[in-house]
mmCIF file with all atom_site columns, all heavy atoms in Angstrom:
data_model
loop_
_atom_site.group_PDB
_atom_site.id
_atom_site.type_symbol
_atom_site.label_atom_id
_atom_site.label_alt_id
_atom_site.label_comp_id
_atom_site.label_asym_id
_atom_site.label_entity_id
_atom_site.label_seq_id
_atom_site.pdbx_PDB_ins_code
_atom_site.Cartn_x
_atom_site.Cartn_y
_atom_site.Cartn_z
_atom_site.occupancy
_atom_site.B_iso_or_equiv
_atom_site.pdbx_formal_charge
_atom_site.auth_seq_id
_atom_site.auth_comp_id
_atom_site.auth_asym_id
_atom_site.auth_atom_id
_atom_site.pdbx_PDB_model_num
ATOM   1   N N   . TYR A 1 11  ? 79.351 88.440 86.270 1.00 97.00 ? 295 TYR A N   1
ATOM   2   C CA  . TYR A 1 11  ? 79.633 89.918 86.327 1.00 97.00 ? 295 TYR A CA  1
ATOM   3   C C   . TYR A 1 11  ? 78.857 90.383 87.583 1.00 97.00 ? 295 TYR A C   1
ATOM   4   O O   . TYR A 1 11  ? 77.745 90.008 87.921 1.00 97.00 ? 295 TYR A O   1
ATOM   5   C CB  . TYR A 1 11  ? 79.063 90.595 85.106 1.00 97.00 ? 295 TYR A CB  1
ATOM   6   C CG  . TYR A 1 11  ? 79.860 90.267 83.865 1.00 97.00 ? 295 TYR A CG  1
ATOM   7   C CD1 . TYR A 1 11  ? 79.374 89.404 82.875 1.00 97.00 ? 295 TYR A CD1 1
ATOM   8   C CD2 . TYR A 1 11  ? 80.992 90.899 83.645 1.00 97.00 ? 295 TYR A CD2 1
ATOM   9   C CE1 . TYR A 1 11  ? 80.068 89.142 81.766 1.00 97.00 ? 295 TYR A CE1 1
ATOM   10  C CE2 . TYR A 1 11  ? 81.734 90.672 82.531 1.00 97.00 ? 295 TYR A CE2 1
ATOM   11  C CZ  . TYR A 1 11  ? 81.318 89.854 81.548 1.00 97.00 ? 295 TYR A CZ  1
ATOM   12  O OH  . TYR A 1 11  ? 81.993 89.530 80.439 1.00 97.00 ? 295 TYR A OH  1
ATOM   13  N N   . ARG A 1 12  ? 79.595 91.354 88.237 1.00 93.00 ? 296 ARG A N   1
ATOM   14  C CA  . ARG A 1 12  ? 78.988 91.991 89.415 1.00 93.00 ? 296 ARG A CA  1
ATOM   15  C C   . ARG A 1 12  ? 78.301 93.231 89.045 1.00 93.00 ? 296 ARG A C   1
ATOM   16  O O   . ARG A 1 12  ? 78.794 94.130 88.460 1.00 93.00 ? 296 ARG A O   1
ATOM   17  C CB  . ARG A 1 12  ? 80.112 92.278 90.484 1.00 93.00 ? 296 ARG A CB  1
ATOM   18  C CG  . ARG A 1 12  ? 79.627 92.575 91.809 1.00 93.00 ? 296 ARG A CG  1
ATOM   19  C CD  . ARG A 1 12  ? 80.518 92.041 92.858 1.00 93.00 ? 296 ARG A CD  1
ATOM   20  N NE  . ARG A 1 12  ? 79.876 92.199 94.239 1.00 93.00 ? 296 ARG A NE  1
ATOM   21  C CZ  . ARG A 1 12  ? 79.130 91.352 94.767 1.00 93.00 ? 296 ARG A CZ  1
ATOM   22  N NH1 . ARG A 1 12  ? 78.934 90.171 94.213 1.00 93.00 ? 296 ARG A NH1 1
ATOM   23  N NH2 . ARG A 1 12  ? 78.593 91.560 95.946 1.00 93.00 ? 296 ARG A NH2 1
ATOM   24  N N   . VAL A 1 13  ? 76.993 93.210 89.183 1.00 93.00 ? 297 VAL A N   1
ATOM   25  C CA  . VAL A 1 13  ? 76.122 94.382 88.723 1.00 93.00 ? 297 VAL A CA  1
ATOM   26  C C   . VAL A 1 13  ? 75.226 94.727 89.987 1.00 93.00 ? 297 VAL A C   1
ATOM   27  O O   . VAL A 1 13  ? 74.479 93.899 90.444 1.00 93.00 ? 297 VAL A O   1
ATOM   28  C CB  . VAL A 1 13  ? 75.192 93.982 87.507 1.00 93.00 ? 297 VAL A CB  1
ATOM   29  C CG1 . VAL A 1 13  ? 74.377 95.198 87.100 1.00 93.00 ? 297 VAL A CG1 1
ATOM   30  C CG2 . VAL A 1 13  ? 76.123 93.458 86.383 1.00 93.00 ? 297 VAL A CG2 1
ATOM   31  N N   . ILE A 1 18  ? 75.815 88.274 88.456 1.00 95.00 ? 302 ILE A N   1
ATOM   32  C CA  . ILE A 1 18  ? 75.044 87.826 87.299 1.00 95.00 ? 302 ILE A CA  1
ATOM   33  C C   . ILE A 1 18  ? 75.912 86.840 86.495 1.00 95.00 ? 302 ILE A C   1
ATOM   34  O O   . ILE A 1 18  ? 76.889 87.161 85.968 1.00 95.00 ? 302 ILE A O   1
ATOM   35  C CB  . ILE A 1 18  ? 74.682 88.972 86.309 1.00 95.00 ? 302 ILE A CB  1
ATOM   36  C CG1 . ILE A 1 18  ? 74.070 90.178 87.127 1.00 95.00 ? 302 ILE A CG1 1
ATOM   37  C CG2 . ILE A 1 18  ? 73.717 88.480 85.217 1.00 95.00 ? 302 ILE A CG2 1
ATOM   38  C CD1 . ILE A 1 18  ? 72.647 89.908 87.727 1.00 95.00 ? 302 ILE A CD1 1
ATOM   39  N N   . PRO A 1 19  ? 75.496 85.477 86.461 1.00 96.00 ? 303 PRO A N   1
ATOM   40  C CA  . PRO A 1 19  ? 76.269 84.527 85.787 1.00 96.00 ? 303 PRO A CA  1
ATOM   41  C C   . PRO A 1 19  ? 76.317 84.726 84.260 1.00 96.00 ? 303 PRO A C   1
ATOM   42  O O   . PRO A 1 19  ? 75.264 84.975 83.737 1.00 96.00 ? 303 PRO A O   1
ATOM   43  C CB  . PRO A 1 19  ? 75.691 83.128 86.207 1.00 96.00 ? 303 PRO A CB  1
ATOM   44  C CG  . PRO A 1 19  ? 74.307 83.505 86.663 1.00 96.00 ? 303 PRO A CG  1
ATOM   45  C CD  . PRO A 1 19  ? 74.244 84.914 87.100 1.00 96.00 ? 303 PRO A CD  1
ATOM   46  N N   . ALA A 1 20  ? 77.505 84.678 83.709 1.00 97.00 ? 304 ALA A N   1
ATOM   47  C CA  . ALA A 1 20  ? 77.637 84.778 82.310 1.00 97.00 ? 304 ALA A CA  1
ATOM   48  C C   . ALA A 1 20  ? 78.150 83.471 81.606 1.00 97.00 ? 304 ALA A C   1
ATOM   49  O O   . ALA A 1 20  ? 77.741 83.086 80.537 1.00 97.00 ? 304 ALA A O   1
ATOM   50  C CB  . ALA A 1 20  ? 78.561 85.940 81.821 1.00 97.00 ? 304 ALA A CB  1
ATOM   51  N N   . LEU A 1 21  ? 79.016 82.790 82.427 1.00 98.00 ? 305 LEU A N   1
ATOM   52  C CA  . LEU A 1 21  ? 79.441 81.426 81.825 1.00 98.00 ? 305 LEU A CA  1
ATOM   53  C C   . LEU A 1 21  ? 79.321 80.446 83.053 1.00 98.00 ? 305 LEU A C   1
ATOM   54  O O   . LEU A 1 21  ? 80.055 80.680 84.091 1.00 98.00 ? 305 LEU A O   1
ATOM   55  C CB  . LEU A 1 21  ? 80.872 81.491 81.404 1.00 98.00 ? 305 LEU A CB  1
ATOM   56  C CG  . LEU A 1 21  ? 81.110 82.258 80.031 1.00 98.00 ? 305 LEU A CG  1
ATOM   57  C CD1 . LEU A 1 21  ? 82.632 82.394 79.838 1.00 98.00 ? 305 LEU A CD1 1
ATOM   58  C CD2 . LEU A 1 21  ? 80.404 81.478 78.843 1.00 98.00 ? 305 LEU A CD2 1
ATOM   59  N N   . GLY A 1 38  ? 76.993 80.956 69.006 1.00 96.00 ? 322 GLY A N   1
ATOM   60  C CA  . GLY A 1 38  ? 75.983 81.156 69.960 1.00 96.00 ? 322 GLY A CA  1
ATOM   61  C C   . GLY A 1 38  ? 75.197 82.462 69.684 1.00 96.00 ? 322 GLY A C   1
ATOM   62  O O   . GLY A 1 38  ? 75.646 83.203 68.830 1.00 96.00 ? 322 GLY A O   1
ATOM   63  N N   . LEU A 1 39  ? 73.989 82.437 70.264 1.00 95.00 ? 323 LEU A N   1
ATOM   64  C CA  . LEU A 1 39  ? 73.144 83.587 69.981 1.00 95.00 ? 323 LEU A CA  1
ATOM   65  C C   . LEU A 1 39  ? 73.657 84.804 70.726 1.00 95.00 ? 323 LEU A C   1
ATOM   66  O O   . LEU A 1 39  ? 74.526 84.658 71.661 1.00 95.00 ? 323 LEU A O   1
ATOM   67  C CB  . LEU A 1 39  ? 71.709 83.395 70.472 1.00 95.00 ? 323 LEU A CB  1
ATOM   68  C CG  . LEU A 1 39  ? 70.964 82.290 69.696 1.00 95.00 ? 323 LEU A CG  1
ATOM   69  C CD1 . LEU A 1 39  ? 69.661 81.966 70.306 1.00 95.00 ? 323 LEU A CD1 1
ATOM   70  C CD2 . LEU A 1 39  ? 70.789 82.640 68.170 1.00 95.00 ? 323 LEU A CD2 1
ATOM   71  N N   . SER A 1 40  ? 73.122 85.982 70.486 1.00 94.00 ? 324 SER A N   1
ATOM   72  C CA  . SER A 1 40  ? 73.563 87.190 71.218 1.00 94.00 ? 324 SER A CA  1
ATOM   73  C C   . SER A 1 40  ? 73.293 86.979 72.679 1.00 94.00 ? 324 SER A C   1
ATOM   74  O O   . SER A 1 40  ? 72.259 86.565 73.032 1.00 94.00 ? 324 SER A O   1
ATOM   75  C CB  . SER A 1 40  ? 72.812 88.328 70.606 1.00 94.00 ? 324 SER A CB  1
ATOM   76  O OG  . SER A 1 40  ? 73.084 89.468 71.299 1.00 94.00 ? 324 SER A OG  1
ATOM   77  N N   . GLY A 1 41  ? 74.233 87.300 73.516 1.00 96.00 ? 325 GLY A N   1
ATOM   78  C CA  . GLY A 1 41  ? 74.074 87.245 74.956 1.00 96.00 ? 325 GLY A CA  1
ATOM   79  C C   . GLY A 1 41  ? 74.521 85.800 75.555 1.00 96.00 ? 325 GLY A C   1
ATOM   80  O O   . GLY A 1 41  ? 74.380 85.636 76.802 1.00 96.00 ? 325 GLY A O   1
ATOM   81  N N   . ALA A 1 42  ? 74.866 84.879 74.645 1.00 97.00 ? 326 ALA A N   1
ATOM   82  C CA  . ALA A 1 42  ? 75.259 83.507 75.107 1.00 97.00 ? 326 ALA A CA  1
ATOM   83  C C   . ALA A 1 42  ? 76.454 83.508 75.966 1.00 97.00 ? 326 ALA A C   1
ATOM   84  O O   . ALA A 1 42  ? 76.665 82.621 76.722 1.00 97.00 ? 326 ALA A O   1
ATOM   85  C CB  . ALA A 1 42  ? 75.387 82.651 73.912 1.00 97.00 ? 326 ALA A CB  1
ATOM   86  N N   . GLY A 1 43  ? 77.364 84.497 75.773 1.00 97.00 ? 327 GLY A N   1
ATOM   87  C CA  . GLY A 1 43  ? 78.601 84.516 76.610 1.00 97.00 ? 327 GLY A CA  1
ATOM   88  C C   . GLY A 1 43  ? 79.856 84.344 75.736 1.00 97.00 ? 327 GLY A C   1
ATOM   89  O O   . GLY A 1 43  ? 80.917 84.148 76.261 1.00 97.00 ? 327 GLY A O   1
ATOM   90  N N   . LYS A 1 44  ? 79.704 84.547 74.376 1.00 97.00 ? 328 LYS A N   1
ATOM   91  C CA  . LYS A 1 44  ? 80.809 84.290 73.429 1.00 97.00 ? 328 LYS A CA  1
ATOM   92  C C   . LYS A 1 44  ? 82.002 85.337 73.731 1.00 97.00 ? 328 LYS A C   1
ATOM   93  O O   . LYS A 1 44  ? 83.073 84.884 73.771 1.00 97.00 ? 328 LYS A O   1
ATOM   94  C CB  . LYS A 1 44  ? 80.346 84.420 72.055 1.00 97.00 ? 328 LYS A CB  1
ATOM   95  C CG  . LYS A 1 44  ? 79.220 83.533 71.704 1.00 97.00 ? 328 LYS A CG  1
ATOM   96  C CD  . LYS A 1 44  ? 78.947 83.631 70.136 1.00 97.00 ? 328 LYS A CD  1
ATOM   97  C CE  . LYS A 1 44  ? 78.319 85.021 69.779 1.00 97.00 ? 328 LYS A CE  1
ATOM   98  N NZ  . LYS A 1 44  ? 76.990 85.440 70.507 1.00 97.00 ? 328 LYS A NZ  1
ATOM   99  N N   . SER A 1 45  ? 81.611 86.649 73.797 1.00 97.00 ? 329 SER A N   1
ATOM   100 C CA  . SER A 1 45  ? 82.668 87.592 73.995 1.00 97.00 ? 329 SER A CA  1
ATOM   101 C C   . SER A 1 45  ? 83.328 87.368 75.306 1.00 97.00 ? 329 SER A C   1
ATOM   102 O O   . SER A 1 45  ? 84.546 87.532 75.462 1.00 97.00 ? 329 SER A O   1
ATOM   103 C CB  . SER A 1 45  ? 82.113 88.960 73.839 1.00 97.00 ? 329 SER A CB  1
ATOM   104 O OG  . SER A 1 45  ? 81.668 89.230 72.557 1.00 97.00 ? 329 SER A OG  1
ATOM   105 N N   . THR A 1 46  ? 82.545 87.085 76.315 1.00 98.00 ? 330 THR A N   1
ATOM   106 C CA  . THR A 1 46  ? 83.091 86.807 77.628 1.00 98.00 ? 330 THR A CA  1
ATOM   107 C C   . THR A 1 46  ? 84.142 85.726 77.592 1.00 98.00 ? 330 THR A C   1
ATOM   108 O O   . THR A 1 46  ? 85.221 85.771 78.079 1.00 98.00 ? 330 THR A O   1
ATOM   109 C CB  . THR A 1 46  ? 81.939 86.440 78.665 1.00 98.00 ? 330 THR A CB  1
ATOM   110 O OG1 . THR A 1 46  ? 81.012 87.469 78.720 1.00 98.00 ? 330 THR A OG1 1
ATOM   111 C CG2 . THR A 1 46  ? 82.545 86.207 79.988 1.00 98.00 ? 330 THR A CG2 1
ATOM   112 N N   . LEU A 1 47  ? 83.740 84.612 76.910 1.00 98.00 ? 331 LEU A N   1
ATOM   113 C CA  . LEU A 1 47  ? 84.587 83.448 76.726 1.00 98.00 ? 331 LEU A CA  1
ATOM   114 C C   . LEU A 1 47  ? 85.946 83.834 76.125 1.00 98.00 ? 331 LEU A C   1
ATOM   115 O O   . LEU A 1 47  ? 87.015 83.517 76.557 1.00 98.00 ? 331 LEU A O   1
ATOM   116 C CB  . LEU A 1 47  ? 83.946 82.319 76.050 1.00 98.00 ? 331 LEU A CB  1
ATOM   117 C CG  . LEU A 1 47  ? 84.565 80.927 76.204 1.00 98.00 ? 331 LEU A CG  1
ATOM   118 C CD1 . LEU A 1 47  ? 83.491 79.846 76.067 1.00 98.00 ? 331 LEU A CD1 1
ATOM   119 C CD2 . LEU A 1 47  ? 85.635 80.714 75.246 1.00 98.00 ? 331 LEU A CD2 1
ATOM   120 N N   . ARG A 1 49  ? 87.328 86.668 75.674 1.00 97.00 ? 333 ARG A N   1
ATOM   121 C CA  . ARG A 1 49  ? 88.087 87.788 76.412 1.00 97.00 ? 333 ARG A CA  1
ATOM   122 C C   . ARG A 1 49  ? 88.809 87.148 77.665 1.00 97.00 ? 333 ARG A C   1
ATOM   123 O O   . ARG A 1 49  ? 89.736 87.675 78.231 1.00 97.00 ? 333 ARG A O   1
ATOM   124 C CB  . ARG A 1 49  ? 87.263 88.995 76.791 1.00 97.00 ? 333 ARG A CB  1
ATOM   125 C CG  . ARG A 1 49  ? 86.797 89.766 75.552 1.00 97.00 ? 333 ARG A CG  1
ATOM   126 C CD  . ARG A 1 49  ? 85.599 90.675 75.794 1.00 97.00 ? 333 ARG A CD  1
ATOM   127 N NE  . ARG A 1 49  ? 85.881 91.628 76.825 1.00 97.00 ? 333 ARG A NE  1
ATOM   128 C CZ  . ARG A 1 49  ? 86.398 92.852 76.549 1.00 97.00 ? 333 ARG A CZ  1
ATOM   129 N NH1 . ARG A 1 49  ? 86.781 93.081 75.339 1.00 97.00 ? 333 ARG A NH1 1
ATOM   130 N NH2 . ARG A 1 49  ? 86.656 93.667 77.567 1.00 97.00 ? 333 ARG A NH2 1
ATOM   131 N N   . GLU A 1 55  ? 88.926 89.827 80.450 1.00 96.00 ? 339 GLU A N   1
ATOM   132 C CA  . GLU A 1 55  ? 88.025 89.535 81.589 1.00 96.00 ? 339 GLU A CA  1
ATOM   133 C C   . GLU A 1 55  ? 88.740 88.554 82.493 1.00 96.00 ? 339 GLU A C   1
ATOM   134 O O   . GLU A 1 55  ? 89.278 87.584 81.984 1.00 96.00 ? 339 GLU A O   1
ATOM   135 C CB  . GLU A 1 55  ? 86.748 88.938 81.073 1.00 96.00 ? 339 GLU A CB  1
ATOM   136 C CG  . GLU A 1 55  ? 85.868 89.919 80.207 1.00 96.00 ? 339 GLU A CG  1
ATOM   137 C CD  . GLU A 1 55  ? 85.270 91.133 80.983 1.00 96.00 ? 339 GLU A CD  1
ATOM   138 O OE1 . GLU A 1 55  ? 85.395 91.087 82.233 1.00 96.00 ? 339 GLU A OE1 1
ATOM   139 O OE2 . GLU A 1 55  ? 84.734 91.993 80.391 1.00 96.00 ? 339 GLU A OE2 1
ATOM   140 N N   . ASP A 1 166 ? 86.521 88.228 67.359 1.00 97.00 ? 450 ASP A N   1
ATOM   141 C CA  . ASP A 1 166 ? 85.244 88.356 67.945 1.00 97.00 ? 450 ASP A CA  1
ATOM   142 C C   . ASP A 1 166 ? 84.175 88.823 66.939 1.00 97.00 ? 450 ASP A C   1
ATOM   143 O O   . ASP A 1 166 ? 84.207 90.126 66.635 1.00 97.00 ? 450 ASP A O   1
ATOM   144 C CB  . ASP A 1 166 ? 85.243 89.250 69.247 1.00 97.00 ? 450 ASP A CB  1
ATOM   145 C CG  . ASP A 1 166 ? 83.967 89.252 70.064 1.00 97.00 ? 450 ASP A CG  1
ATOM   146 O OD1 . ASP A 1 166 ? 82.949 88.713 69.565 1.00 97.00 ? 450 ASP A OD1 1
ATOM   147 O OD2 . ASP A 1 166 ? 83.879 89.751 71.158 1.00 97.00 ? 450 ASP A OD2 1
ATOM   148 N N   . GLU A 1 167 ? 83.457 88.027 66.335 1.00 96.00 ? 451 GLU A N   1
ATOM   149 C CA  . GLU A 1 167 ? 82.385 88.435 65.274 1.00 96.00 ? 451 GLU A CA  1
ATOM   150 C C   . GLU A 1 167 ? 83.143 89.255 64.218 1.00 96.00 ? 451 GLU A C   1
ATOM   151 O O   . GLU A 1 167 ? 82.562 90.272 63.784 1.00 96.00 ? 451 GLU A O   1
ATOM   152 C CB  . GLU A 1 167 ? 81.338 89.249 65.956 1.00 96.00 ? 451 GLU A CB  1
ATOM   153 C CG  . GLU A 1 167 ? 80.557 88.514 66.995 1.00 96.00 ? 451 GLU A CG  1
ATOM   154 C CD  . GLU A 1 167 ? 79.300 87.758 66.565 1.00 96.00 ? 451 GLU A CD  1
ATOM   155 O OE1 . GLU A 1 167 ? 79.089 87.678 65.389 1.00 96.00 ? 451 GLU A OE1 1
ATOM   156 O OE2 . GLU A 1 167 ? 78.522 87.315 67.398 1.00 96.00 ? 451 GLU A OE2 1
ATOM   157 N N   . ILE A 1 198 ? 84.686 83.644 66.997 1.00 97.00 ? 482 ILE A N   1
ATOM   158 C CA  . ILE A 1 198 ? 83.416 83.688 67.612 1.00 97.00 ? 482 ILE A CA  1
ATOM   159 C C   . ILE A 1 198 ? 82.454 84.198 66.512 1.00 97.00 ? 482 ILE A C   1
ATOM   160 O O   . ILE A 1 198 ? 82.695 85.045 65.737 1.00 97.00 ? 482 ILE A O   1
ATOM   161 C CB  . ILE A 1 198 ? 83.404 84.665 68.701 1.00 97.00 ? 482 ILE A CB  1
ATOM   162 C CG1 . ILE A 1 198 ? 83.806 83.885 70.057 1.00 97.00 ? 482 ILE A CG1 1
ATOM   163 C CG2 . ILE A 1 198 ? 82.008 85.268 68.944 1.00 97.00 ? 482 ILE A CG2 1
ATOM   164 C CD1 . ILE A 1 198 ? 83.924 84.717 71.209 1.00 97.00 ? 482 ILE A CD1 1
ATOM   165 N N   . LEU A 1 215 ? 77.457 77.493 72.292 1.00 98.00 ? 499 LEU A N   1
ATOM   166 C CA  . LEU A 1 215 ? 77.297 78.124 73.570 1.00 98.00 ? 499 LEU A CA  1
ATOM   167 C C   . LEU A 1 215 ? 75.837 78.557 73.618 1.00 98.00 ? 499 LEU A C   1
ATOM   168 O O   . LEU A 1 215 ? 75.288 79.224 72.754 1.00 98.00 ? 499 LEU A O   1
ATOM   169 C CB  . LEU A 1 215 ? 78.236 79.277 73.660 1.00 98.00 ? 499 LEU A CB  1
ATOM   170 C CG  . LEU A 1 215 ? 78.521 79.891 75.115 1.00 98.00 ? 499 LEU A CG  1
ATOM   171 C CD1 . LEU A 1 215 ? 79.088 78.834 75.953 1.00 98.00 ? 499 LEU A CD1 1
ATOM   172 C CD2 . LEU A 1 215 ? 79.523 81.024 74.862 1.00 98.00 ? 499 LEU A CD2 1
HETATM 173 N N1  . ADP B 2 .   ? 80.813 94.102 81.466 1.00 62.66 ? 774 ADP B N1  1
HETATM 174 C C1  . ADP B 2 .   ? 79.659 93.451 81.749 1.00 62.66 ? 774 ADP B C1  1
HETATM 175 N N2  . ADP B 2 .   ? 78.978 93.680 82.933 1.00 62.66 ? 774 ADP B N2  1
HETATM 176 C C2  . ADP B 2 .   ? 77.838 93.061 83.171 1.00 62.66 ? 774 ADP B C2  1
HETATM 177 N N3  . ADP B 2 .   ? 77.295 92.086 82.455 1.00 62.66 ? 774 ADP B N3  1
HETATM 178 C C3  . ADP B 2 .   ? 77.954 91.844 81.285 1.00 62.66 ? 774 ADP B C3  1
HETATM 179 C C4  . ADP B 2 .   ? 79.141 92.448 80.862 1.00 62.66 ? 774 ADP B C4  1
HETATM 180 N N4  . ADP B 2 .   ? 79.537 91.951 79.704 1.00 62.66 ? 774 ADP B N4  1
HETATM 181 C C5  . ADP B 2 .   ? 78.640 91.024 79.352 1.00 62.66 ? 774 ADP B C5  1
HETATM 182 N N5  . ADP B 2 .   ? 77.644 90.885 80.360 1.00 62.66 ? 774 ADP B N5  1
HETATM 183 C C6  . ADP B 2 .   ? 76.497 89.933 80.267 1.00 62.66 ? 774 ADP B C6  1
HETATM 184 O O1  . ADP B 2 .   ? 77.043 88.618 80.268 1.00 62.66 ? 774 ADP B O1  1
HETATM 185 C C7  . ADP B 2 .   ? 76.268 87.831 79.265 1.00 62.66 ? 774 ADP B C7  1
HETATM 186 C C8  . ADP B 2 .   ? 77.105 87.394 78.044 1.00 62.66 ? 774 ADP B C8  1
HETATM 187 O O2  . ADP B 2 .   ? 77.542 88.483 77.310 1.00 62.66 ? 774 ADP B O2  1
HETATM 188 P P1  . ADP B 2 .   ? 78.512 88.391 76.060 1.00 62.66 ? 774 ADP B P1  1
HETATM 189 O O3  . ADP B 2 .   ? 79.671 87.549 76.554 1.00 62.66 ? 774 ADP B O3  1
HETATM 190 O O4  . ADP B 2 .   ? 78.783 89.793 75.609 1.00 62.66 ? 774 ADP B O4  1
HETATM 191 O O5  . ADP B 2 .   ? 77.661 87.534 75.051 1.00 62.66 ? 774 ADP B O5  1
HETATM 192 P P2  . ADP B 2 .   ? 77.750 87.430 73.425 1.00 62.66 ? 774 ADP B P2  1
HETATM 193 O O6  . ADP B 2 .   ? 79.133 87.876 73.071 1.00 62.66 ? 774 ADP B O6  1
HETATM 194 O O7  . ADP B 2 .   ? 77.475 85.977 73.186 1.00 62.66 ? 774 ADP B O7  1
HETATM 195 O O8  . ADP B 2 .   ? 76.604 88.254 72.850 1.00 62.66 ? 774 ADP B O8  1
HETATM 196 C C9  . ADP B 2 .   ? 75.145 88.824 78.760 1.00 62.66 ? 774 ADP B C9  1
HETATM 197 O O9  . ADP B 2 .   ? 74.017 88.547 79.615 1.00 62.66 ? 774 ADP B O9  1
HETATM 198 C C10 . ADP B 2 .   ? 75.628 90.235 79.068 1.00 62.66 ? 774 ADP B C10 1
HETATM 199 O O10 . ADP B 2 .   ? 74.614 91.139 79.322 1.00 62.66 ? 774 ADP B O10 1
#
Side-chain angles (χ1 to χ4, degrees):
Y295 288 103
R296 195 142 185 96
V297 183
I302 310 292
L305 288 172
L323 297 172
S324 176
K328 306 183 295 297
S329 294
T330 303
L331 196 155
R333 291 162 64 85
E339 295 291 350
D450 191 350
E451 303 267 9
I482 276 177
L499 199 57

